[in-house]
Amino acid sequence: MYADVILPLPLSDRFTYAIPAEMVNKIGEGFRVVVPFGSRKYYTGIITRIHREAPGITGIREIHSLIDSHPVVNEQQLTLWEWISFYYLAPLGDVYKAALPSSMKPEDLLRKFTPHTEIFLQINPSLDQQTMIRMAGRAKKQQALADEIGSYLTANHTGSVSKKVVSGFSSYSASVLNGLLQKEILTAFPVETSRLETIITPTHEPFPLNDHQHQALTGIRESFDNKETVLLHGVTSSGKTEIYIHLIQQYLAEGKQTLYLLPEIALTTQHTERLKAVFGNRLGIYHSRINDNERAEIWQKMLSDQPYEIIMGVRSSLFLPYQHLGLVIVDEEHEASYKQQDPAPRYHARDTAIMLARFFGAKTLLGSATPSVETYYNAQTGKYGLVTLTARYNGLKMPVIRLENSRELRRKKKMKTLLAPALIEQIGAALENGEQAILFRNRRGFAPLIECKQCGWVPKCRRCDVSLTYHKKSSKLVCHYCNSSYRLPAECPSCHEKSLVPLGLGTEQLEEEVSHLFPGSVVARMDMDSTRSKDAYEQIITGFQEKRIQILVGTQMLSKGLDFDNVRVVGIISADSLLNYPDFRSHERGFQLMTQAAGRAGRKNRQGTVIIQCTDPGQPVFAYVRNNDYEAFFRAQLSERKLFHYPPFYRLIRIVLKHKQEQKAEAAAASLAGMLRESLYERTLGPNKPIVSRIQLYHIREILLKLENGLSPQRVRDILKKTEVRLRSFPEWKYVTLYYDVDPL
Ligand SMILES: [Zn+2]
Ligand SMILES: [Zn+2]
C-alpha cells in the first residue's frame, strides 16, 4: 500500500511513500505522518490519498511514523487547498504550510505542540489541621498563608488551587510559599489546562433591528434562496454588524457553523466584544496575534465533537477544519488586506471564502459601504444578489464633506500650518464642545524624504531602491520595504554641509503639529509604528472611545470599520497623494479610503463634518466622495476598466522575476516574455521595471498578463507551467526567482 503525501515545501507535487505493514490499518486521508525527505531531513506531511498503484520508480521510501489516530484535515479542506494551488498558481506545499499552525507540522521533530500546564497546590493530605499549624511553628507568615489557602479550599469545595490564584492572596509571597513547600505542608503538581477554557456567558440577546435593517435582513434571506453569494451594500454606520448577528443566530438554530471574516486583526477588538456578548463561548477567535499553540488548540477543538459554532478571524481562519459550515460573512469585502501578498500562496481571502462556502453548500454574505468594482459588477450582472441599506443607524446623519484647496490657501498666505484654517476652526469647536476629531494621513514616520538643500543628496536604502523615511522620535532613517534603519547623519555625506532637511509629511509630524496647535488636548497617533506592541492598538481605541484622547491622528488603519460616537470632525490631509499611484485601482482606493474615513464622523442627531485637504479639487473622484455617489463612481470606473482591459472584464496575472544581479533579472524576464508571446501573443505585457525595482538586494522585473474572461484558467495554467519549465531548462536562468500573482491588488 502507498500513500500520497503533501510536504511543507514549495513543491507542487505530492510524494509517494510506502506504508509499513503495521500502519496499514491505522492510517487514512488527512492523517499527519513523519516522512524522510532528501538525505537526512524528516518532515511532517499530510496524507491525501491511499492506493495500491506502485510508482514507476525504484527506491520508494517508507513512512517513518504516524502522528495521528484521526484525520486532522478533512475532505473539504483538501479540496480547498487544491483549488488555491490551482487558481493562484501556488505550490500545494505552500498552501499546506500556510494552512496548518506551525506547531502542528514540526520540521525538526523536537519542536512539537506543547500543552499548556499550570501549577496547582494542595495541602498535604496526610496532615491534619493541628499538625499543620504546629509545623508552620513560629513562622507567622507561613501560617497565615496556609490558613488562607485552607479557607479558600473549604469555601470553594475543592482539594487544590492554582498557584496563580494563590499568588493573589494577601499573605502571599514567593518565599513564604516556598517555605510551606519545603516543610511539605503544601505539595505542588502540574495540571494540563486548556487555553480556551475561560467561560464567557452571553450577556444579552441580539438588539432588535430597526425597520431598515430588518428589510435588509429579509432581502438577504430571500436572495439566498437563489444565489450563493449576496452583497450587502450599506452606507457607513448603517448597523451591518447587527444584521450579521441576526443572520448568524438563524444558522446556529439550524445547527450550522458561521465563519465571520474581517480584513485585519486591528478590527477584531470592537467586533469580538459585540459578538461575545451575544454568543459567549460558541464564538472562537482566530488571528495572527494569538500564539501558535493556541491556534493548534482551536484547530483541535474544531475537529472535536464540540467545535466552535462561530469563528471570527482574519484570512487564515479560512483554513480551519469546519464540519458543517452554513454561512460565511466577509465584512469590508473591498479591503486590500484580504489579499495575501507574501509569501505564497497569494490568495484573495474573499474569493477563496466564496469557494469554501461552495464546497460546503454554504452561503456567502459580502458586506461593504464601498464595494470593490469587481464585486459590485457581479452584483449588477446578477451573479451575486444585491441588498442595499441607505440609512445610517440611530438617526445618524451623513456628514457634510468640504474640500479645501491647500495650494490655493498657501498661495494666498492663508494657510500657515499643515492644517487649513477651516479644519483648525472645526477642531477647535469640537474640543470646546467635548467632542473629538480624527485626522488621516496615509504616510507614517515624520517625513517621507530627507534632502540636502545644498547638493540635492537623498539617503537611500542599501538593500532596496527606495529613499528612506525620517522617524523623528527614534531619530532614525527607516526603509519601509525591508525595515532596515540607519542613523540620521549630522551633515550631508556628499557635500559635508549641515543642510539636511525633511521633506513631505508623515503622521509623526502631523501629530507634533496638532499637539502644538491644540496644547490643552490629548493627541494620540495610530499607525504601524505606534501599534507594534501587543495591546497598543486596543489601548488607543479604548482611550478614544472613553474620550481620554481628543484628537486621533493616523494612517488608513483608522478608517477600517471602527465605530465612534463622538467624532465631530474628520480631516483628510494631502488627499491627492491617495490618487497619485500609477495603478488602475488608485482612484478606487482613494474613493474607498475617503468615504470610509468620512464615515467615522457623526454623532447621534448631529451632523459631522469632513474636510478634505487637496491641491486639485477638480478631480472627479472628490465629487463622488462629497456627494456620496457610489453609483456614479462605479459607472466611471467601469467604463475606464473596459476601455483599458482591466478587471472585471479581464483577468490579470503578474509574473515576478527576481535576481541579485540586475542584468540576470532583466534578461530572464525578457526571455520569459518572449516565450509567453509565442502562445499568449499580445496578452503579454512587459517586462517592466517596477517603481521600486530592488527590494532586499533583489532586482525585480515584472510581466503582466491581461487575459479575457473566456480564456480557461486550466489552459493558462498549462501554458505558464510549460513555459516555466522551458525557461528553467536554460542553465543561466535556473536560479532566478519566479512567482505568480493572480488577481494582483
Ligand atoms: Zn549635500
Ligand atoms: Zn530597504
Side-chain angles (χ1 to χ4, degrees):
M1 298 278 277
Y2 299 95
D4 291 346
V5 177
I6 311 176
L7 296 181
L9 298 167
L11 303 161
S12 282
D13 298 310
R14 284 170 208 76
F15 295 86
T16 304
Y17 287 87
I19 305 174
E22 73 275 11
M23 232 180 254
V24 168
N25 294 321
K26 297 179 193 158
I27 207 166
E29 285 172 16
F31 283 59
R32 284 175 301 167
V33 284
V34 177
V35 292
F37 187 83
S39 55
R40 59 177 73 179
K41 277 216 102 166
Y42 284 84
Y43 286 101
T44 306
I46 299 270
I47 295 183
T48 56
R49 198 167 74 96
I50 290 178
H51 55 88
R52 291 176 183 280
E53 302 151 25
I57 46 165
T58 53
I60 290 296
R61 300 167 91 173
E62 277 199 342
I63 290 174
H64 174 272
S65 52
L66 181 62
I67 298 182
D68 301 306
S69 54
H70 58 88
V72 295
V73 175
N74 63 34
E75 197 191 321
Q76 285 90 349
Q77 285 175 289
L78 289 176
T79 316
L80 187 74
W81 294 5
E82 297 272 0
W83 180 82
I84 291 173
S85 167
F86 167 78
Y87 185 82
Y88 292 105
L89 300 163
L92 194 57
D94 279 342
V95 182
Y96 161 46
K97 239 170 123 172
L100 241 73
S102 39
S103 57
M104 287 180 73
K105 48 176 167 30
E107 280 187 30
D108 61 40
L109 297 164
L110 300 170
R111 230 171 2 107
K112 273 197 188 153
F113 169 65
T114 49
H116 198 229
T117 56
E118 249 185 71
I119 300 297
F120 271 68
L121 302 167
Q122 65 177 13
I123 292 176
N124 189 338
S126 62
L127 296 176
D128 60 43
Q129 194 79 8
Q130 284 309 313
T131 332
M132 200 177 98
I133 292 168
R134 224 178 24 249
M135 279 175 75
R138 272 183 226 115
K140 286 256 158 50
K141 285 178 177 171
Q142 288 181 6
Q143 193 173 338
L145 183 59
D147 285 348
E148 210 173 342
I149 293 173
S151 34
Y152 178 91
L153 297 179
T154 318
N156 287 283
H157 307 285
T158 176
S160 63
V161 52
S162 91
K163 193 179 160 190
K164 214 162 73 205
V165 171
V166 172
S167 68
F169 287 177
S170 59
S171 51
Y172 170 84
S173 84
S175 62
V176 172
L177 179 64
N178 279 337
L180 288 169
L181 287 168
Q182 268 160 23
K183 288 182 183 167
E184 289 180 13
I185 295 173
L186 294 180
T187 51
F189 56 97
V191 172
E192 198 177 302
T193 55
S194 167
R195 293 170 184 82
L196 314 173
E197 237 164 34
T198 25
I199 291 161
I200 302 148
T201 340
T203 52
H204 63 77
E205 288 287 303
F207 296 118
L209 299 181
N210 66 28
D211 288 351
H212 304 284
Q213 290 170 311
H214 188 76
Q215 262 174 29
L217 180 63
T218 313
I220 293 164
R221 284 180 178 148
E222 284 171 5
S223 259
F224 275 155
D225 284 343
N226 50 35
K227 304 278 184 204
E228 279 182 1
T229 307
V230 172
L231 167 65
L232 172 60
H233 179 203
V235 292
T236 52
S237 300
S238 54
K240 291 190 282 291
T241 313
E242 217 52 46
I243 298 176
Y244 302 152
I245 289 174
H246 281 253
L247 200 61
I248 294 169
Q249 228 187 8
Q250 176 200 326
Y251 281 83
L252 274 183
E254 294 168 10
K256 295 286 178 67
Q257 289 171 302
T258 296
L259 164 61
Y260 186 153
L261 279 178
L262 290 161
E264 267 184 67
I265 152 73
L267 266 181
T268 56
T269 320
Q270 271 196 342
H271 286 75
T272 41
E273 292 314 310
R274 287 176 73 178
L275 264 80
K276 266 189 190 151
V278 178
F279 299 114
N281 273 16
R282 303 167 93 175
L283 172 73
I285 318 283
Y286 196 76
H287 55 65
S288 52
R289 283 211 180 166
I290 57 177
N291 70 45
D292 198 76
N293 281 336
E294 200 170 334
R295 287 163 152 239
E297 280 200 23
I298 293 175
W299 190 288
Q300 297 292 355
K301 186 173 163 66
M302 293 303 281
L303 290 169
S304 73
D305 51 10
Q306 276 187 313
Y308 283 117
E309 291 158 277
I310 308 154
I311 286 285
M312 173 182 264
V314 296
R315 55 178 189 249
S316 54
S317 49
L318 282 169
F319 292 115
L320 282 168
Y322 299 94
Q323 300 183 30
H324 31 79
L325 188 66
L327 175 67
V328 179
I329 295 166
V330 185
D331 199 15
E332 311 291 341
E333 68 80 32
H334 62 278
E335 276 290 341
S337 43
Y338 276 126
K339 181 82 198 286
Q340 162 94 5
Q341 299 294 352
D342 240 351
R346 295 173 177 80
Y347 65 101
H348 197 303
R350 174 197 62 213
D351 300 341
T352 309
I354 293 172
M355 291 311 292
L356 175 73
R358 186 174 294 168
F359 299 145
F360 275 95
K363 302 291 184 187
T364 307
L365 180 64
L366 310 176
S368 178
T370 51
S372 66
V373 169
E374 285 90 333
T375 294
Y376 202 70
Y377 178 76
N378 283 333
Q380 289 285 305
T381 51
K383 188 174 171 192
Y384 300 165
L386 174 62
V387 174
T388 47
L389 188 55
T390 50
R392 293 185 113 191
Y393 189 71
N394 240 339
L396 211 65
K397 288 181 184 149
M398 290 306 276
V400 185
I401 301 178
R402 288 168 53 180
L403 295 174
E404 291 290 328
N405 186 337
S406 46
R407 181 180 292 155
E408 199 58 22
L409 288 166
R410 284 226 167 80
R411 196 178 58 81
K412 292 183 182 157
K413 307 227 177 321
K414 285 181 179 162
M415 187 166 156
K416 294 183 185 77
T417 70
L418 299 171
L419 306 186
L423 184 53
I424 296 177
E425 190 187 304
Q426 283 286 338
I427 298 173
L431 295 177
E432 244 167 59
N433 259 316
E435 294 163 318
Q436 294 163 297
I438 292 180
L439 297 175
F440 284 90
R441 168 69 182 132
N442 69 332
R443 291 299 286 266
R444 64 193 169 92
F446 188 84
L449 205 68
I450 290 269
E451 198 186 58
C452 173
K453 260 192 309 191
Q454 291 298 324
C455 73
W457 177 82
V458 168
K460 288 196 155 188
C461 180
R462 277 181 223 126
R463 302 162 57 85
C464 314
D465 180 25
V466 286
S467 48
L468 299 169
T469 300
Y470 172 45
H471 287 248
K472 192 176 178 183
K473 262 201 186 124
S474 55
S475 189
K476 287 213 164 93
L477 298 171
V478 181
C479 170
H480 284 185
Y481 282 80
C482 72
N483 251 333
S484 306
S485 68
Y486 304 79
R487 248 191 344 193
L488 178 70
E491 51 169 50
C492 170
S494 172
C495 69
H496 303 287
E497 293 287 327
K498 283 192 170 52
S499 50
L500 295 175
V501 287
L503 287 180
L505 165 67
T507 44
E508 216 186 308
Q509 190 178 157
L510 188 58
E511 179 193 20
E512 190 181 282
E513 174 110 347
V514 170
S515 301
H516 287 153
L517 283 168
F518 304 99
S521 61
V522 181
V523 182
R525 172 165 55 91
M526 191 157 93
D527 54 28
M528 257 165 65
D529 301 312
S530 71
T531 55
R532 261 182 233 282
S533 72
K534 201 165 174 261
D535 303 321
Y537 175 85
E538 271 166 65
Q539 279 167 13
I540 297 171
I541 293 296
T542 316
F544 196 65
Q545 264 166 344
E546 292 172 356
K547 304 177 181 57
R548 278 178 277 121
I549 296 166
Q550 280 91 48
I551 306 172
L552 194 51
V553 173
T555 56
Q556 62 264 30
M557 242 182 153
L558 263 179
S559 71
K560 291 178 182 171
L562 291 164
D563 286 325
F564 302 114
D565 60 3
N566 191 39
V567 177
R568 171 158 169 171
V569 56
V570 168
I572 302 172
I573 315 300
S574 309
D576 314 81
S577 67
L578 299 170
L579 310 173
N580 292 342
Y581 293 101
D583 180 297
F584 74 97
R585 287 184 209 273
S586 66
H587 281 229
E588 179 182 12
R589 293 250 174 78
F591 176 84
Q592 287 165 342
L593 185 78
M594 284 187 273
T595 306
Q596 294 284 350
R600 308 305 128 216
R603 304 196 43 188
K604 200 174 173 181
N605 300 322
R606 156 111 79 160
Q607 210 167 10
T609 302
V610 178
I611 292 180
I612 300 178
Q613 288 185 195
C614 57
T615 56
D616 185 9
Q619 296 246 32
V621 67
F622 290 126
Y624 303 138
V625 172
R626 195 173 53 193
N627 304 329
N628 190 35
D629 194 348
Y630 178 85
E631 289 286 337
F633 152 77
F634 171 74
R635 282 193 302 273
Q637 279 292 306
L638 205 63
S639 59
E640 270 185 36
R641 302 262 189 115
K642 194 166 196 169
L643 192 63
F644 298 108
H645 295 192
Y646 281 115
F649 304 101
Y650 284 74
R651 202 164 75 98
L652 303 184
I653 297 178
R654 196 164 61 100
I655 306 173
V656 179
L657 295 105
K658 291 186 187 180
H659 200 277
K660 283 193 179 172
Q661 298 168 26
E662 180 163 24
Q663 176 272 330
K664 277 220 161 171
E666 175 97 36
S671 175
L672 182 67
M675 294 177 194
L676 288 169
R677 281 202 178 86
E678 291 172 21
S679 25
L680 290 168
Y681 311 104
E682 76 290 355
R683 299 180 187 94
T684 312
L685 303 166
N688 296 314
K689 189 174 171 176
I691 298 181
V692 178
S693 66
R694 191 177 64 131
I695 297 176
Q696 307 225 10
L697 300 176
Y698 279 86
H699 292 273
I700 306 164
R701 290 297 181 273
E702 294 180 349
I703 297 167
L704 187 68
L705 303 179
K706 283 186 176 176
L707 308 164
E708 63 273 26
N709 288 339
L711 205 59
S712 100
Q714 180 68 58
R715 213 186 125 209
V716 174
R717 187 192 161 85
D718 291 345
I719 292 171
L720 291 175
K721 290 288 155 188
K722 238 181 253 165
T723 317
E724 188 180 339
V725 169
R726 206 175 131 200
L727 184 81
R728 297 287 189 208
S729 70
F730 295 90
E732 64 264 48
W733 310 139
K734 210 169 170 185
Y735 297 107
V736 173
T737 305
L738 188 162
Y739 69 80
Y740 304 96
D741 187 1
V742 177
D743 303 338
L745 282 188

